[in-house]
């Protein structure tokens, strides 16, 4: 990946002259069945630019109360776009109940914000990397079409969703997860090893307007092909990267369960667990850090691990040994 970055052919992307970025944008659009793509600095910027493009000030986006946009992006859509987040409860599997969505689609009334977009997240981070399946996405598409809304998919980890769902549906394609959507955000710095970058995809007219919004939030970069080259390299190895991470996550789940931790069954590459009593999550994370193991306490007050390409099976064995030592020391 580093070699690909060093050898990248670059140009001025602000003027659309960076051939490496152009190849990445085109490839992402083709993978997900869209007309065009746009490179942005991060997943947060991808969501912000997409919603700025779909909505005028004062309009609303219907989204999950535990979505990344609602929880982890500092209220950017409201602060910078004047967009109202009309939140509904995320279910344990990361979905939004269709009845809750419909309840937010209010009739035209001078007192109400006009709903413009439904936003869903696949995989769903806070729910532990749950993957939204094709039937559910089709139902959301039906609702948005019947009510003349737009659909944005925060697909920061959409390749994780794809390969997780493909385990039980070998005929699945990435396009099946985005068909009917108006914009999709794909992040390369999550599970795909890249140091920076996301791509948003949509129609030609959407991307043309998104380009203006990327500029206004400071996202216009020059010789960005150096980082786009890393994303192209990741796409060439995406199946190997993602499926390997999923297998390591399952291995870690099995080991933690055998130790006596309360572990959520993983769907993709996110693992949530609660340490045995009397440990508290924050206390346990601090004890692990003393032993050079980094974890985080998630929004749900569970400890979160995400095995990645820098994690080997031997690393997981060592991690499990360290956790056993921590528990034994307090016994």
């Amino acid at each position: 990946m580093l070699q690909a970055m060093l050898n990248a052919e670059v140009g001025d992307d602000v003027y659309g002259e960076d051939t490496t970025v152009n190849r990445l944008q085109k490839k992402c659009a083709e993978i997900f069945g869209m007309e065009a793509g746009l490179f942005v600095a991060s997943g947060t910027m991808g969501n912000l630019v997409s919603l700025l493009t779909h909505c005028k000030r004062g309009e609303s986006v219907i989204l999950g109360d535990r979505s990344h946009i609602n929880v982890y992006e500092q209220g950017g859509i409201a602060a910078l776009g004047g967009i109202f987040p009309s939140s509904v409860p995320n279910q344990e599997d990361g979905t939004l109940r269709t009845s809750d969505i419909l309840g937010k689609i209010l009739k035209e009334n001078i007192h109400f914000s006009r709903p413009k977009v439904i936003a869903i997240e696949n995989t769903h981070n806070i729910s532990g990397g749950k993957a939204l399946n094709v039937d559910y996405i089709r139902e959301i598409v039906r609702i948005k079409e019947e009510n003349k809304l737009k659909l944005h998919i925060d697909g920061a980890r959409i390749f994780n969703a794809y390969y997780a769902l493909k385990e039980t549906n070998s005929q699945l394609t990435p396009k099946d997860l985005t068909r009917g959507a108006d914009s999709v955000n794909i992040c390369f710095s999550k599970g795909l090893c890249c140091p920076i970058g996301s791509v948003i995809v949509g129609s030609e007219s959407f991307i043309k307007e998104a380009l203006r919004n990327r500029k206004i939030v400071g996202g216009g970069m020059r010789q960005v092909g150096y980082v786009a080259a890393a994303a192209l390299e990741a796409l060439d190895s995406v199946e190997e990267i993602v499926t390997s991470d999923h297998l390591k996550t399952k291995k870690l789940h099995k080991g933690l369960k055998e130790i006596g931790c309360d572990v959520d069954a993983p769907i993709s590459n996110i693992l949530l667990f609660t340490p045995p009593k009397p440990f508290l999550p924050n206390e346990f994370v601090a004890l692990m850090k003393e032993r050079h193991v980094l974890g985080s306490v998630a929004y749900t007050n569970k400890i979160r691990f995400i095995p990645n390409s820098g994690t080997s099976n031997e690393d997981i064995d060592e991690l499990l040994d360290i956790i056993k030592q921590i528990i034994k020391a307090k016994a």
Side-chain angles (χ1 to χ4, degrees):
M1 182 176 285
L2 181 58
Q3 197 61 48
M5 294 170 73
L6 291 170
N7 294 334
E9 182 180 336
V10 298
D12 191 333
D13 186 49
V14 170
Y15 291 97
E17 297 170 352
D18 192 305
T19 56
T20 304
V21 175
N22 292 341
R23 282 197 295 121
L24 174 64
Q25 292 169 165
K26 182 179 179 182
K27 188 167 185 175
C28 287
E30 289 172 349
I31 289 170
F32 292 101
M34 299 291 186
E35 293 177 357
L38 182 68
F39 185 89
V40 293
S42 68
T44 294
M45 183 181 282
N47 288 328
L48 176 61
V49 167
S50 294
L51 294 176
L52 287 174
T53 305
H54 287 309
C55 298
K56 298 175 184 176
R57 298 186 70 84
E59 293 180 332
S60 64
V61 53
I62 301 167
L63 76 178
D65 63 343
R66 297 192 300 167
S67 65
H68 197 279
I69 296 172
N70 200 52
V71 176
Y72 290 127
E73 298 182 11
Q74 209 181 114
I77 59 171
L80 302 178
I83 301 166
F84 177 64
S86 184
S87 65
V88 300
N90 275 110
Q91 303 307 298
E92 289 300 314
D93 62 357
T95 61
L96 311 177
R97 279 196 299 251
T98 54
S99 58
D100 288 337
I101 294 172
L102 291 169
K104 291 288 186 176
I105 304 174
L106 304 173
K107 292 182 179 179
E108 178 66 24
N109 186 305
I110 61 170
H111 299 90
F112 303 149
S113 168
R114 287 171 170 160
K116 191 65 180 291
V117 183
I118 301 170
I120 58 176
E121 182 180 332
N122 201 13
T123 62
H124 193 267
N125 180 4
I126 288 177
S127 296
K130 298 294 194 302
L132 310 185
N133 64 43
V134 173
D135 289 340
Y136 175 75
I137 294 167
R138 284 175 182 158
E139 182 64 10
I140 300 302
V141 169
R142 182 188 65 79
I143 292 171
K144 77 102 180 178
E145 289 177 347
E146 289 179 357
N147 292 279
K148 297 180 172 59
L149 301 176
K150 302 292 185 181
L151 172 61
H152 173 66
I153 299 178
D154 177 2
R157 296 181 176 89
I158 196 163
F159 282 110
N160 294 97
Y162 169 61
Y163 285 106
L165 293 168
K166 196 175 181 183
E167 288 183 20
T168 55
N169 181 2
S170 61
Q171 302 304 309
L172 189 71
T173 70
K175 294 176 186 177
D176 294 329
L177 297 182
T178 59
R179 189 170 287 113
D182 298 281
S183 56
V184 183
N185 176 30
I186 307 130
C187 188
F188 288 91
S189 63
K190 293 290 193 298
L192 296 182
C193 316
C194 298
I196 181 175
S198 291
V199 171
I200 54 177
V201 294
S203 67
E204 291 278 4
S205 60
F206 169 82
I207 293 299
K208 184 177 180 181
E209 191 64 23
L211 180 62
R212 294 185 60 84
N213 287 316
R214 184 185 74 174
K215 184 65 176 175
I216 204 170
V217 297
M221 295 182 281
R222 301 294 177 175
Q223 286 73 38
V224 73
Y226 290 116
V227 288
L232 283 167
E233 191 74 12
L235 286 177
D236 287 341
S237 307
V238 63
E239 182 172 4
E240 179 185 350
I241 294 169
V242 172
T243 55
S244 174
D245 288 349
H246 289 186
L247 288 172
K248 286 178 284 191
T249 306
K250 290 175 182 177
K251 174 182 172 70
L252 182 55
H253 167 260
K254 182 175 182 289
L256 287 171
K257 196 170 182 181
E258 289 172 352
I259 290 170
C261 297
D262 182 7
V263 196
D264 294 357
I267 301 297
S268 54
N269 66 329
I270 298 177
L271 188 67
L272 301 177
F273 76 98
T274 304
K277 293 180 179 179
F279 293 102
L280 297 174
N282 280 310
E283 172 195 11
F284 205 78
V285 165
L287 290 169
M288 290 193 300
K289 189 174 182 180
E290 290 176 4
R291 294 159 173 81
H292 310 291
V293 172
L294 298 180
S296 61
V297 178
Y299 185 78
T300 53
N301 203 35
K302 295 180 180 181
I303 297 172
R304 187 178 83 154
F305 281 141
I306 303 183
N308 54 64
S309 61
T311 309
S312 67
N313 284 313
E314 291 73 25
D315 291 333
I316 291 173
D317 291 333
E318 183 178 355
L319 167 60
L320 293 169
D321 285 339
I322 290 170
I323 290 175
K324 288 176 187 176
Q325 292 166 20
I326 293 171
I327 295 170
K328 186 178 180 180
K330 195 157 185 172

